[in-house]
Amino acid sequence: DYKATVVRVSDAEVGAAIVTALRGLDAASVVLPDGLPAEWADAVLDGGLAVHRDDPELSHAELNVIDAVVTTSAVAMADSGTIALDHGPGQGRRALTLLPDRHICVVRADQVVSDVPEGIARLAPALRARRPVTWLSGGSATSDIELSRVEGVHGPRRLWVILVDA
């Protein structure tokens, strides 16, 4: 229902899967936050994409013209299809995950829990530390009072999830 693309790969295939996702989303430029494995960044660079880093911090105007962001995740909740970011290593600051139109999110299989209460339990350390938590369930959308769905209103319009098997 959320029109997200989900692919399963092995750990060794993540870099190639990121490049495939970027190409599949017609992205020419990408922001890579600190904390991503160097092999993933190398794969993106070898794929010929324009890579941006957030050090010094990119302005909102700069982020608005970057096609995509690649992040890791904190937890994924199977029953709702929701991924949560606690903005730890590899996840960047909130603006990185809300301004580019495309988001590629890497989720390890051991981060998938069955439901929201389990997900919140995993997020407890970040919540206690008062870090922001961003919830993703696909491309952004909203409905008006007549329940007419409008997509791409806020946040990324397209979500591509790379699920990494153990």
Side-chain angles (χ1 to χ4, degrees):
D1 289 346
Y2 295 119
K3 299 180 184 174
T5 300
V6 180
V7 297
R8 292 184 83 131
V9 300
S10 70
D11 193 45
E13 298 170 309
V14 174
I18 291 170
V19 173
T20 298
L22 289 165
R23 289 187 180 140
L25 293 169
D26 295 322
S29 60
V30 61
V31 60
L32 302 177
D34 288 340
L36 293 179
E39 311 84 68
W40 300 359
D42 291 345
V44 173
L45 285 167
D46 291 346
L49 291 114
V51 174
H52 301 270
R53 297 296 188 156
D54 197 34
D55 186 18
E57 281 190 5
L58 297 163
S59 70
H60 288 185
E62 290 169 313
L63 287 171
N64 272 328
V65 297
I66 295 173
D67 296 328
V69 62
V70 175
T71 70
T72 58
S73 62
V75 66
M77 294 153 269
D79 69 343
S80 63
T82 301
I83 298 167
L85 310 179
D86 63 7
H87 302 284
Q91 297 171 45
R93 60 191 171 99
R94 282 194 90 200
L96 295 184
T97 63
L98 295 174
L99 292 175
D101 275 346
R102 302 154 186 99
H103 187 159
I104 294 110
C105 189
V106 180
V107 178
R108 293 185 328 271
D110 64 358
Q111 292 177 303
V112 179
V113 298
S114 65
D115 55 27
V116 173
E118 274 189 89
I120 291 172
R122 292 261 183 115
L123 292 167
L127 296 170
R128 279 193 283 280
R130 303 184 68 74
R131 288 202 320 257
V133 175
T134 303
W135 299 69
L136 312 165
S137 293
S140 71
T142 192
S143 295
D144 65 14
I145 198 163
E146 295 177 6
L147 300 180
S148 298
R149 184 175 168 95
V150 179
E151 296 181 7
V153 220
H154 49 71
R157 292 176 183 1
R158 311 256 320 265
L159 175 62
W160 192 298
V161 179
I162 299 172
L163 181 60
V164 185
D165 289 320

PDB file of all heavy atoms in Angstrom, residues 94-130:
ATOM      1  N   ARG A  94      17.794  14.785  10.884  1.00  0.00           N
ATOM      2  CA  ARG A  94      16.439  14.683  10.328  1.00  0.00           C
ATOM      3  C   ARG A  94      16.308  15.324   8.948  1.00  0.00           C
ATOM      4  O   ARG A  94      15.638  14.785   8.072  1.00  0.00           O
ATOM      5  CB  ARG A  94      15.420  15.323  11.272  1.00  0.00           C
ATOM      6  CG  ARG A  94      15.094  14.424  12.425  1.00  0.00           C
ATOM      7  CD  ARG A  94      13.881  14.867  13.180  1.00  0.00           C
ATOM      8  NE  ARG A  94      12.728  14.209  12.555  1.00  0.00           N
ATOM      9  CZ  ARG A  94      11.495  14.626  12.682  1.00  0.00           C
ATOM     10  NH1 ARG A  94      11.222  15.698  13.389  1.00  0.00           N
ATOM     11  NH2 ARG A  94      10.509  13.983  12.122  1.00  0.00           N
ATOM     12  N   ALA A  95      16.909  16.478   8.750  1.00  0.00           N
ATOM     13  CA  ALA A  95      16.761  17.172   7.464  1.00  0.00           C
ATOM     14  C   ALA A  95      17.249  16.312   6.307  1.00  0.00           C
ATOM     15  O   ALA A  95      16.678  16.365   5.212  1.00  0.00           O
ATOM     16  CB  ALA A  95      17.501  18.507   7.483  1.00  0.00           C
ATOM     17  N   LEU A  96      18.266  15.505   6.529  1.00  0.00           N
ATOM     18  CA  LEU A  96      18.776  14.637   5.458  1.00  0.00           C
ATOM     19  C   LEU A  96      17.730  13.623   5.023  1.00  0.00           C
ATOM     20  O   LEU A  96      17.708  13.198   3.873  1.00  0.00           O
ATOM     21  CB  LEU A  96      20.023  13.869   5.908  1.00  0.00           C
ATOM     22  CG  LEU A  96      21.282  14.647   6.236  1.00  0.00           C
ATOM     23  CD1 LEU A  96      22.415  13.681   6.549  1.00  0.00           C
ATOM     24  CD2 LEU A  96      21.674  15.578   5.122  1.00  0.00           C
ATOM     25  N   THR A  97      16.900  13.196   5.958  1.00  0.00           N
ATOM     26  CA  THR A  97      15.927  12.151   5.658  1.00  0.00           C
ATOM     27  C   THR A  97      14.574  12.703   5.234  1.00  0.00           C
ATOM     28  O   THR A  97      13.700  11.939   4.844  1.00  0.00           O
ATOM     29  CB  THR A  97      15.740  11.221   6.868  1.00  0.00           C
ATOM     30  OG1 THR A  97      15.207  11.968   7.961  1.00  0.00           O
ATOM     31  CG2 THR A  97      17.061  10.594   7.286  1.00  0.00           C
ATOM     32  N   LEU A  98      14.403  14.009   5.312  1.00  0.00           N
ATOM     33  CA  LEU A  98      13.105  14.598   4.980  1.00  0.00           C
ATOM     34  C   LEU A  98      13.109  15.454   3.715  1.00  0.00           C
ATOM     35  O   LEU A  98      12.058  15.673   3.128  1.00  0.00           O
ATOM     36  CB  LEU A  98      12.602  15.444   6.158  1.00  0.00           C
ATOM     37  CG  LEU A  98      12.305  14.652   7.428  1.00  0.00           C
ATOM     38  CD1 LEU A  98      11.958  15.599   8.574  1.00  0.00           C
ATOM     39  CD2 LEU A  98      11.206  13.639   7.204  1.00  0.00           C
ATOM     40  N   LEU A  99      14.268  15.956   3.279  1.00  0.00           N
ATOM     41  CA  LEU A  99      14.281  16.872   2.146  1.00  0.00           C
ATOM     42  C   LEU A  99      14.542  16.212   0.784  1.00  0.00           C
ATOM     43  O   LEU A  99      13.845  16.538  -0.171  1.00  0.00           O
ATOM     44  CB  LEU A  99      15.251  18.026   2.398  1.00  0.00           C
ATOM     45  CG  LEU A  99      14.785  18.975   3.519  1.00  0.00           C
ATOM     46  CD1 LEU A  99      15.840  20.024   3.822  1.00  0.00           C
ATOM     47  CD2 LEU A  99      13.458  19.617   3.188  1.00  0.00           C
ATOM     48  N   PRO A 100      15.518  15.313   0.636  1.00  0.00           N
ATOM     49  CA  PRO A 100      15.665  14.673  -0.680  1.00  0.00           C
ATOM     50  C   PRO A 100      14.405  13.859  -1.039  1.00  0.00           C
ATOM     51  O   PRO A 100      13.739  13.299  -0.156  1.00  0.00           O
ATOM     52  CB  PRO A 100      16.882  13.760  -0.506  1.00  0.00           C
ATOM     53  CG  PRO A 100      17.669  14.423   0.591  1.00  0.00           C
ATOM     54  CD  PRO A 100      16.616  14.958   1.536  1.00  0.00           C
ATOM     55  N   ASP A 101      14.085  13.798  -2.323  1.00  0.00           N
ATOM     56  CA  ASP A 101      12.860  13.130  -2.784  1.00  0.00           C
ATOM     57  C   ASP A 101      12.901  11.608  -2.694  1.00  0.00           C
ATOM     58  O   ASP A 101      11.856  10.971  -2.740  1.00  0.00           O
ATOM     59  CB  ASP A 101      12.558  13.511  -4.238  1.00  0.00           C
ATOM     60  CG  ASP A 101      11.797  14.811  -4.350  1.00  0.00           C
ATOM     61  OD1 ASP A 101      11.267  15.281  -3.324  1.00  0.00           O
ATOM     62  OD2 ASP A 101      11.719  15.347  -5.467  1.00  0.00           O
ATOM     63  N   ARG A 102      14.077  11.029  -2.615  1.00  0.00           N
ATOM     64  CA  ARG A 102      14.204   9.568  -2.594  1.00  0.00           C
ATOM     65  C   ARG A 102      15.028   9.151  -1.386  1.00  0.00           C
ATOM     66  O   ARG A 102      16.040   9.766  -1.079  1.00  0.00           O
ATOM     67  CB  ARG A 102      14.880   9.096  -3.874  1.00  0.00           C
ATOM     68  CG  ARG A 102      14.135   9.501  -5.136  1.00  0.00           C
ATOM     69  CD  ARG A 102      15.142   9.580  -6.293  1.00  0.00           C
ATOM     70  NE  ARG A 102      14.567  10.095  -7.511  1.00  0.00           N
ATOM     71  CZ  ARG A 102      14.683  11.353  -7.916  1.00  0.00           C
ATOM     72  NH1 ARG A 102      15.309  12.244  -7.176  1.00  0.00           N
ATOM     73  NH2 ARG A 102      14.162  11.742  -9.062  1.00  0.00           N
ATOM     74  N   HIS A 103      14.590   8.083  -0.721  1.00  0.00           N
ATOM     75  CA  HIS A 103      15.289   7.594   0.472  1.00  0.00           C
ATOM     76  C   HIS A 103      15.558   6.110   0.278  1.00  0.00           C
ATOM     77  O   HIS A 103      14.639   5.329   0.054  1.00  0.00           O
ATOM     78  CB  HIS A 103      14.414   7.822   1.708  1.00  0.00           C
ATOM     79  CG  HIS A 103      15.089   7.506   3.003  1.00  0.00           C
ATOM     80  ND1 HIS A 103      14.655   8.028   4.191  1.00  0.00           N
ATOM     81  CD2 HIS A 103      16.154   6.728   3.322  1.00  0.00           C
ATOM     82  CE1 HIS A 103      15.416   7.590   5.180  1.00  0.00           C
ATOM     83  NE2 HIS A 103      16.326   6.795   4.668  1.00  0.00           N
ATOM     84  N   ILE A 104      16.826   5.742   0.353  1.00  0.00           N
ATOM     85  CA  ILE A 104      17.226   4.339   0.363  1.00  0.00           C
ATOM     86  C   ILE A 104      17.607   4.019   1.794  1.00  0.00           C
ATOM     87  O   ILE A 104      18.503   4.655   2.355  1.00  0.00           O
ATOM     88  CB  ILE A 104      18.395   4.050  -0.606  1.00  0.00           C
ATOM     89  CG1 ILE A 104      17.936   4.264  -2.051  1.00  0.00           C
ATOM     90  CG2 ILE A 104      18.893   2.627  -0.433  1.00  0.00           C
ATOM     91  CD1 ILE A 104      18.532   5.454  -2.681  1.00  0.00           C
ATOM     92  N   CYS A 105      16.907   3.074   2.401  1.00  0.00           N
ATOM     93  CA  CYS A 105      17.124   2.742   3.807  1.00  0.00           C
ATOM     94  C   CYS A 105      17.571   1.291   3.929  1.00  0.00           C
ATOM     95  O   CYS A 105      16.889   0.384   3.441  1.00  0.00           O
ATOM     96  CB  CYS A 105      15.846   2.982   4.601  1.00  0.00           C
ATOM     97  SG  CYS A 105      16.094   2.857   6.377  1.00  0.00           S
ATOM     98  N   VAL A 106      18.702   1.088   4.565  1.00  0.00           N
ATOM     99  CA  VAL A 106      19.249  -0.256   4.760  1.00  0.00           C
ATOM    100  C   VAL A 106      18.824  -0.753   6.141  1.00  0.00           C
ATOM    101  O   VAL A 106      19.101  -0.109   7.155  1.00  0.00           O
ATOM    102  CB  VAL A 106      20.790  -0.253   4.631  1.00  0.00           C
ATOM    103  CG1 VAL A 106      21.346  -1.649   4.835  1.00  0.00           C
ATOM    104  CG2 VAL A 106      21.207   0.315   3.263  1.00  0.00           C
ATOM    105  N   VAL A 107      18.145  -1.890   6.154  1.00  0.00           N
ATOM    106  CA  VAL A 107      17.638  -2.498   7.381  1.00  0.00           C
ATOM    107  C   VAL A 107      18.242  -3.895   7.510  1.00  0.00           C
ATOM    108  O   VAL A 107      18.110  -4.703   6.590  1.00  0.00           O
ATOM    109  CB  VAL A 107      16.092  -2.611   7.345  1.00  0.00           C
ATOM    110  CG1 VAL A 107      15.569  -3.283   8.606  1.00  0.00           C
ATOM    111  CG2 VAL A 107      15.449  -1.251   7.130  1.00  0.00           C
ATOM    112  N   ARG A 108      18.885  -4.154   8.632  1.00  0.00           N
ATOM    113  CA  ARG A 108      19.394  -5.506   8.892  1.00  0.00           C
ATOM    114  C   ARG A 108      18.252  -6.390   9.376  1.00  0.00           C
ATOM    115  O   ARG A 108      17.370  -5.932  10.120  1.00  0.00           O
ATOM    116  CB  ARG A 108      20.501  -5.488   9.942  1.00  0.00           C
ATOM    117  CG  ARG A 108      21.782  -4.798   9.490  1.00  0.00           C
ATOM    118  CD  ARG A 108      22.906  -4.924  10.532  1.00  0.00           C
ATOM    119  NE  ARG A 108      22.457  -4.968  11.911  1.00  0.00           N
ATOM    120  CZ  ARG A 108      22.274  -3.899  12.692  1.00  0.00           C
ATOM    121  NH1 ARG A 108      22.500  -2.684  12.226  1.00  0.00           N
ATOM    122  NH2 ARG A 108      21.861  -4.038  13.946  1.00  0.00           N
ATOM    123  N   ALA A 109      18.249  -7.648   8.996  1.00  0.00           N
ATOM    124  CA  ALA A 109      17.170  -8.568   9.390  1.00  0.00           C
ATOM    125  C   ALA A 109      16.992  -8.617  10.904  1.00  0.00           C
ATOM    126  O   ALA A 109      15.861  -8.731  11.383  1.00  0.00           O
ATOM    127  CB  ALA A 109      17.450  -9.967   8.830  1.00  0.00           C
ATOM    128  N   ASP A 110      18.081  -8.491  11.662  1.00  0.00           N
ATOM    129  CA  ASP A 110      17.951  -8.551  13.128  1.00  0.00           C
ATOM    130  C   ASP A 110      17.355  -7.279  13.727  1.00  0.00           C
ATOM    131  O   ASP A 110      17.096  -7.211  14.920  1.00  0.00           O
ATOM    132  CB  ASP A 110      19.277  -8.895  13.795  1.00  0.00           C
ATOM    133  CG  ASP A 110      20.364  -7.848  13.597  1.00  0.00           C
ATOM    134  OD1 ASP A 110      20.135  -6.826  12.906  1.00  0.00           O
ATOM    135  OD2 ASP A 110      21.471  -8.047  14.134  1.00  0.00           O
ATOM    136  N   GLN A 111      17.096  -6.274  12.890  1.00  0.00           N
ATOM    137  CA  GLN A 111      16.434  -5.053  13.352  1.00  0.00           C
ATOM    138  C   GLN A 111      14.922  -5.119  13.169  1.00  0.00           C
ATOM    139  O   GLN A 111      14.215  -4.222  13.603  1.00  0.00           O
ATOM    140  CB  GLN A 111      16.970  -3.830  12.584  1.00  0.00           C
ATOM    141  CG  GLN A 111      18.407  -3.497  12.888  1.00  0.00           C
ATOM    142  CD  GLN A 111      18.878  -2.337  12.043  1.00  0.00           C
ATOM    143  OE1 GLN A 111      18.824  -2.391  10.813  1.00  0.00           O
ATOM    144  NE2 GLN A 111      19.317  -1.280  12.705  1.00  0.00           N
ATOM    145  N   VAL A 112      14.436  -6.158  12.529  1.00  0.00           N
ATOM    146  CA  VAL A 112      13.003  -6.279  12.279  1.00  0.00           C
ATOM    147  C   VAL A 112      12.337  -6.936  13.488  1.00  0.00           C
ATOM    148  O   VAL A 112      12.741  -8.013  13.921  1.00  0.00           O
ATOM    149  CB  VAL A 112      12.719  -7.106  11.008  1.00  0.00           C
ATOM    150  CG1 VAL A 112      11.222  -7.252  10.780  1.00  0.00           C
ATOM    151  CG2 VAL A 112      13.398  -6.463   9.795  1.00  0.00           C
ATOM    152  N   VAL A 113      11.340  -6.249  14.035  1.00  0.00           N
ATOM    153  CA  VAL A 113      10.548  -6.769  15.152  1.00  0.00           C
ATOM    154  C   VAL A 113       9.108  -6.946  14.666  1.00  0.00           C
ATOM    155  O   VAL A 113       8.746  -6.461  13.599  1.00  0.00           O
ATOM    156  CB  VAL A 113      10.620  -5.850  16.389  1.00  0.00           C
ATOM    157  CG1 VAL A 113      12.062  -5.753  16.899  1.00  0.00           C
ATOM    158  CG2 VAL A 113      10.063  -4.471  16.094  1.00  0.00           C
ATOM    159  N   SER A 114       8.292  -7.605  15.456  1.00  0.00           N
ATOM    160  CA  SER A 114       6.942  -7.921  14.975  1.00  0.00           C
ATOM    161  C   SER A 114       5.977  -6.749  15.003  1.00  0.00           C
ATOM    162  O   SER A 114       5.147  -6.619  14.115  1.00  0.00           O
ATOM    163  CB  SER A 114       6.360  -9.101  15.758  1.00  0.00           C
ATOM    164  OG  SER A 114       6.186  -8.741  17.113  1.00  0.00           O
ATOM    165  N   ASP A 115       6.068  -5.880  16.037  1.00  0.00           N
ATOM    166  CA  ASP A 115       5.038  -4.855  16.155  1.00  0.00           C
ATOM    167  C   ASP A 115       5.586  -3.556  16.738  1.00  0.00           C
ATOM    168  O   ASP A 115       6.747  -3.459  17.120  1.00  0.00           O
ATOM    169  CB  ASP A 115       3.868  -5.365  16.983  1.00  0.00           C
ATOM    170  CG  ASP A 115       4.276  -5.875  18.359  1.00  0.00           C
ATOM    171  OD1 ASP A 115       5.299  -5.412  18.909  1.00  0.00           O
ATOM    172  OD2 ASP A 115       3.562  -6.742  18.896  1.00  0.00           O
ATOM    173  N   VAL A 116       4.726  -2.551  16.805  1.00  0.00           N
ATOM    174  CA  VAL A 116       5.114  -1.216  17.266  1.00  0.00           C
ATOM    175  C   VAL A 116       5.596  -1.220  18.723  1.00  0.00           C
ATOM    176  O   VAL A 116       6.618  -0.589  19.022  1.00  0.00           O
ATOM    177  CB  VAL A 116       3.980  -0.198  17.022  1.00  0.00           C
ATOM    178  CG1 VAL A 116       4.296   1.143  17.657  1.00  0.00           C
ATOM    179  CG2 VAL A 116       3.738  -0.034  15.520  1.00  0.00           C
ATOM    180  N   PRO A 117       4.915  -1.901  19.664  1.00  0.00           N
ATOM    181  CA  PRO A 117       5.441  -1.909  21.036  1.00  0.00           C
ATOM    182  C   PRO A 117       6.883  -2.429  21.118  1.00  0.00           C
ATOM    183  O   PRO A 117       7.704  -1.863  21.841  1.00  0.00           O
ATOM    184  CB  PRO A 117       4.458  -2.796  21.801  1.00  0.00           C
ATOM    185  CG  PRO A 117       3.168  -2.624  21.063  1.00  0.00           C
ATOM    186  CD  PRO A 117       3.577  -2.524  19.611  1.00  0.00           C
ATOM    187  N   GLU A 118       7.192  -3.472  20.352  1.00  0.00           N
ATOM    188  CA  GLU A 118       8.580  -3.963  20.323  1.00  0.00           C
ATOM    189  C   GLU A 118       9.511  -2.915  19.727  1.00  0.00           C
ATOM    190  O   GLU A 118      10.642  -2.747  20.177  1.00  0.00           O
ATOM    191  CB  GLU A 118       8.682  -5.241  19.487  1.00  0.00           C
ATOM    192  CG  GLU A 118       8.385  -6.506  20.226  1.00  0.00           C
ATOM    193  CD  GLU A 118       8.720  -7.699  19.358  1.00  0.00           C
ATOM    194  OE1 GLU A 118       9.881  -8.165  19.404  1.00  0.00           O
ATOM    195  OE2 GLU A 118       7.814  -8.156  18.628  1.00  0.00           O
ATOM    196  N   GLY A 119       9.036  -2.224  18.706  1.00  0.00           N
ATOM    197  CA  GLY A 119       9.840  -1.179  18.087  1.00  0.00           C
ATOM    198  C   GLY A 119      10.132  -0.052  19.057  1.00  0.00           C
ATOM    199  O   GLY A 119      11.261   0.434  19.151  1.00  0.00           O
ATOM    200  N   ILE A 120       9.139   0.350  19.815  1.00  0.00           N
ATOM    201  CA  ILE A 120       9.339   1.416  20.800  1.00  0.00           C
ATOM    202  C   ILE A 120      10.322   0.970  21.877  1.00  0.00           C
ATOM    203  O   ILE A 120      11.167   1.759  22.316  1.00  0.00           O
ATOM    204  CB  ILE A 120       7.987   1.867  21.392  1.00  0.00           C
ATOM    205  CG1 ILE A 120       7.201   2.600  20.299  1.00  0.00           C
ATOM    206  CG2 ILE A 120       8.176   2.750  22.613  1.00  0.00           C
ATOM    207  CD1 ILE A 120       5.789   2.949  20.663  1.00  0.00           C
ATOM    208  N   ALA A 121      10.247  -0.287  22.263  1.00  0.00           N
ATOM    209  CA  ALA A 121      11.206  -0.801  23.253  1.00  0.00           C
ATOM    210  C   ALA A 121      12.636  -0.688  22.721  1.00  0.00           C
ATOM    211  O   ALA A 121      13.551  -0.320  23.459  1.00  0.00           O
ATOM    212  CB  ALA A 121      10.873  -2.245  23.618  1.00  0.00           C
ATOM    213  N   ARG A 122      12.818  -0.975  21.433  1.00  0.00           N
ATOM    214  CA  ARG A 122      14.156  -0.843  20.842  1.00  0.00           C
ATOM    215  C   ARG A 122      14.594   0.619  20.750  1.00  0.00           C
ATOM    216  O   ARG A 122      15.777   0.929  20.781  1.00  0.00           O
ATOM    217  CB  ARG A 122      14.188  -1.444  19.440  1.00  0.00           C
ATOM    218  CG  ARG A 122      14.030  -2.935  19.385  1.00  0.00           C
ATOM    219  CD  ARG A 122      15.381  -3.619  19.237  1.00  0.00           C
ATOM    220  NE  ARG A 122      15.213  -5.039  19.109  1.00  0.00           N
ATOM    221  CZ  ARG A 122      15.527  -5.749  18.024  1.00  0.00           C
ATOM    222  NH1 ARG A 122      16.047  -5.147  16.979  1.00  0.00           N
ATOM    223  NH2 ARG A 122      15.334  -7.032  18.007  1.00  0.00           N
ATOM    224  N   LEU A 123      13.637   1.513  20.618  1.00  0.00           N
ATOM    225  CA  LEU A 123      13.940   2.944  20.504  1.00  0.00           C
ATOM    226  C   LEU A 123      14.117   3.618  21.861  1.00  0.00           C
ATOM    227  O   LEU A 123      14.510   4.778  21.924  1.00  0.00           O
ATOM    228  CB  LEU A 123      12.824   3.660  19.734  1.00  0.00           C
ATOM    229  CG  LEU A 123      12.701   3.308  18.258  1.00  0.00           C
ATOM    230  CD1 LEU A 123      11.388   3.822  17.700  1.00  0.00           C
ATOM    231  CD2 LEU A 123      13.884   3.848  17.471  1.00  0.00           C
ATOM    232  N   ALA A 124      13.827   2.899  22.937  1.00  0.00           N
ATOM    233  CA  ALA A 124      13.839   3.490  24.282  1.00  0.00           C
ATOM    234  C   ALA A 124      15.116   4.258  24.607  1.00  0.00           C
ATOM    235  O   ALA A 124      15.039   5.375  25.134  1.00  0.00           O
ATOM    236  CB  ALA A 124      13.561   2.421  25.336  1.00  0.00           C
ATOM    237  N   PRO A 125      16.314   3.732  24.312  1.00  0.00           N
ATOM    238  CA  PRO A 125      17.526   4.506  24.632  1.00  0.00           C
ATOM    239  C   PRO A 125      17.554   5.872  23.927  1.00  0.00           C
ATOM    240  O   PRO A 125      17.918   6.874  24.533  1.00  0.00           O
ATOM    241  CB  PRO A 125      18.668   3.610  24.159  1.00  0.00           C
ATOM    242  CG  PRO A 125      18.101   2.224  24.207  1.00  0.00           C
ATOM    243  CD  PRO A 125      16.658   2.383  23.823  1.00  0.00           C
ATOM    244  N   ALA A 126      17.163   5.913  22.663  1.00  0.00           N
ATOM    245  CA  ALA A 126      17.143   7.188  21.931  1.00  0.00           C
ATOM    246  C   ALA A 126      16.084   8.118  22.502  1.00  0.00           C
ATOM    247  O   ALA A 126      16.310   9.326  22.631  1.00  0.00           O
ATOM    248  CB  ALA A 126      16.881   6.939  20.444  1.00  0.00           C
ATOM    249  N   LEU A 127      14.940   7.563  22.853  1.00  0.00           N
ATOM    250  CA  LEU A 127      13.867   8.386  23.422  1.00  0.00           C
ATOM    251  C   LEU A 127      14.276   8.961  24.771  1.00  0.00           C
ATOM    252  O   LEU A 127      14.037  10.131  25.049  1.00  0.00           O
ATOM    253  CB  LEU A 127      12.580   7.570  23.549  1.00  0.00           C
ATOM    254  CG  LEU A 127      11.981   7.100  22.217  1.00  0.00           C
ATOM    255  CD1 LEU A 127      10.862   6.092  22.463  1.00  0.00           C
ATOM    256  CD2 LEU A 127      11.493   8.271  21.392  1.00  0.00           C
ATOM    257  N   ARG A 128      14.917   8.124  25.593  1.00  0.00           N
ATOM    258  CA  ARG A 128      15.382   8.621  26.891  1.00  0.00           C
ATOM    259  C   ARG A 128      16.447   9.705  26.724  1.00  0.00           C
ATOM    260  O   ARG A 128      16.525  10.631  27.515  1.00  0.00           O
ATOM    261  CB  ARG A 128      15.922   7.475  27.745  1.00  0.00           C
ATOM    262  CG  ARG A 128      14.822   6.688  28.446  1.00  0.00           C
ATOM    263  CD  ARG A 128      15.377   5.779  29.526  1.00  0.00           C
ATOM    264  NE  ARG A 128      16.004   4.578  29.023  1.00  0.00           N
ATOM    265  CZ  ARG A 128      15.351   3.483  28.635  1.00  0.00           C
ATOM    266  NH1 ARG A 128      14.043   3.439  28.699  1.00  0.00           N
ATOM    267  NH2 ARG A 128      16.005   2.445  28.183  1.00  0.00           N
ATOM    268  N   ALA A 129      17.256   9.579  25.674  1.00  0.00           N
ATOM    269  CA  ALA A 129      18.297  10.571  25.402  1.00  0.00           C
ATOM    270  C   ALA A 129      17.715  11.807  24.700  1.00  0.00           C
ATOM    271  O   ALA A 129      18.454  12.739  24.381  1.00  0.00           O
ATOM    272  CB  ALA A 129      19.401   9.958  24.541  1.00  0.00           C
ATOM    273  N   ARG A 130      16.411  11.794  24.446  1.00  0.00           N
ATOM    274  CA  ARG A 130      15.684  12.899  23.834  1.00  0.00           C
ATOM    275  C   ARG A 130      16.159  13.196  22.402  1.00  0.00           C
ATOM    276  O   ARG A 130      16.123  14.336  21.934  1.00  0.00           O
ATOM    277  CB  ARG A 130      15.722  14.137  24.709  1.00  0.00           C
ATOM    278  CG  ARG A 130      15.162  13.847  26.115  1.00  0.00           C
ATOM    279  CD  ARG A 130      15.080  15.032  27.016  1.00  0.00           C
ATOM    280  NE  ARG A 130      14.121  16.040  26.637  1.00  0.00           N
ATOM    281  CZ  ARG A 130      12.790  15.955  26.754  1.00  0.00           C
ATOM    282  NH1 ARG A 130      12.252  14.870  27.224  1.00  0.00           N
ATOM    283  NH2 ARG A 130      12.019  16.955  26.398  1.00  0.00           N
TER     284      ARG A 130
END
